Every structure is written in C-alpha cells, then in structure tokens.
Amino acid sequence: REGRVPEPEALAEARACVGMHLVELNAADNTVCFARAGVQLDLGSIGKGHAIERAGELLREAGVTSALLHGGTSTVLAIGAPPDADGWKIGLEHPAGEVGLIPHSQFPIPNSSIPLATVSLRDQSLSVSAVWGKSFTAADRSYGHVIDPRTGAPTRGASLAAIVLPSATESDALSTMLLTLGPEGLEQTLRLREGMRALVVGVGADNHPLRIAAQGFDLSPG
C-alpha cells in the first residue's frame, strides 16, 4: 500500500506470519485464535464472492428467478437466464500489450473492445482475478496486489484467471489460486470441483505473448 518494495528482513518477518497452521479454530466455542503475534485474516480473495452469493440467496428467497448480480470487475452471479436466452452471456476483457509480471513500465490494461473469451452463465458465478488494477511500479518493474504465499512476492505465473462455479465464494477464491499457479495449475484446479470451467492467461514466448489455457470458455478468434 505504500508503493515500495519491502526490505528482505521485512518480507521474511511477514512470511513468518503466513499459514493456516498459525490459525486455531475452536468449533465448540466458535472462536478463532492466532498462534503468534502479527497474524491477520484477509478476506480479499473471498469477501466479494461471499457477499454476492449471499445477495443471490436473498433474491431467490424473495422469489426472483432471473437476475444478474455484478460485483465490480471481479465476480458476477447469474440467477436463471434472461427471458430470451438460455443463459447470461458474459465477456472477459482482453489484456492489451505484454502480459505478466515482467520488467515493464506498467501492467497491461484491458482493451474492452476485444473480448478475450465469452461464457454463458445460468445459476452459476464467474470470478476473474488479474494483475492489473491495484499495482505500483518501482525500478521499471510493476508489482501487483495478489501475493504468492510461497514467495511473499506478487504472483508471476499469470496475468488473468477466471473460474465458473455455482458458488460465488468458491469461484472468487479459486480464481485467485489459479492466477497464482498459472497455466501449469489449470488441471490441478479443475480437479477440485466437478463441472468447473476455467481460463488462465500466462506469459508466453516473445512471438506469442498470450499463453491461454482454458476449459469451458469460448475463445475469441486471434
């Protein structure tokens, strides 16, 4: 948040406070405790998805059978379908220019005129995680807001990841995970939930800067 790269000592101290082994759940008392000082719970990867999912539940309880809930640029939840279609058609914005966390003055920004892919939703949620948006530049390198817990540094595996599942909470969490894993983690991610649809855009070779791996998405030509 300060727009600077942490010193190695500060990064090591932060990494020592990461991990579910430091979180103690007591189901009997309905309490949460931390095993050491400095541990925090950050709901950034599931908070919006859970809120959208709960809103969908409230609408269904009220008798709504056709609606599309949009939580900014990261999660949409489809209830039923539009009156004249089998599902809600959603497009993913196309990354412009080079992708990934590489030496570059800025992150690529979406080019909304060219969709990367489209997907139809009916009683499902789509969540997208990307490296652009919350970022800063230092020494000609851009740093994003999604942190790889294995390294303590911003993820470098991909520039965009998308997940379709019935649960908006799960799609939100797993899109963040897939962004961290990159294209190599697509099959591993797909095995977590039956019927999942997923897409991930990674860093390719010089002549093919977009490396796309997907299942269940309609990719745009080119």
Side-chain angles (χ1 to χ4, degrees):
R1 291 176 178 171
E2 297 176 6
R4 62 178 178 84
V5 179
E7 297 296 330
E9 296 78 10
L11 182 58
E13 182 179 349
R15 291 184 65 193
C17 297
V18 175
M20 281 302 296
H21 65 286
L22 300 175
V23 181
E24 301 172 358
L25 304 177
N26 187 324
D29 297 333
N30 201 30
T31 61
V32 180
C33 297
F34 300 140
R36 58 163 293 165
V39 179
Q40 300 180 29
L41 291 179
D42 187 334
L43 303 181
S45 64
I46 66 171
K48 184 179 293 184
H50 179 71
I52 292 293
E53 184 169 339
R54 183 62 185 130
E57 292 171 355
L58 293 173
L59 288 179
R60 289 187 177 98
E61 291 171 3
V64 174
T65 59
S66 178
L68 186 69
L69 285 74
H70 198 301
T73 59
S74 62
T75 298
V76 295
L77 174 65
I79 298 177
D84 56 349
D86 294 330
W88 298 90
K89 189 175 182 180
I90 308 297
L92 297 182
E93 291 182 311
H94 200 298
E98 299 181 27
V99 299
L101 289 179
I102 57 178
H104 196 53
S105 60
Q106 301 180 21
F107 275 117
I109 59 173
N111 179 358
S112 59
S113 64
I114 306 174
L116 172 68
T118 58
V119 64
S120 180
L121 303 179
R122 186 185 183 108
D123 296 318
Q124 291 177 309
S125 173
L126 165 68
S127 291
V128 178
S129 295
V131 296
W132 56 71
K134 298 178 182 178
S135 63
F136 71 94
T137 301
D140 295 326
R141 180 182 291 272
S142 292
Y143 296 86
H145 67 289
V146 178
I147 304 299
D148 187 333
R150 300 169 296 183
T151 64
T155 179
R156 302 172 66 104
S159 62
L160 179 147
I163 295 288
V164 174
L165 282 172
S167 167
T169 306
E170 290 192 345
S171 66
D172 195 0
L174 293 179
S175 67
T176 308
M177 185 187 88
L178 182 56
L179 181 71
T180 302
L181 294 176
E184 293 78 8
L186 178 63
E187 293 301 323
Q188 175 186 349
T189 304
L190 288 170
R191 288 195 294 267
L192 295 176
R193 296 291 184 271
E194 184 177 357
M196 181 192 302
R197 289 181 280 175
L199 178 147
V200 57
V201 179
V203 180
D206 291 340
N207 295 330
H208 302 280
L210 290 182
R211 180 186 172 196
I212 303 173
Q215 179 169 304
F217 283 76
D218 295 324
L219 297 178
S220 299

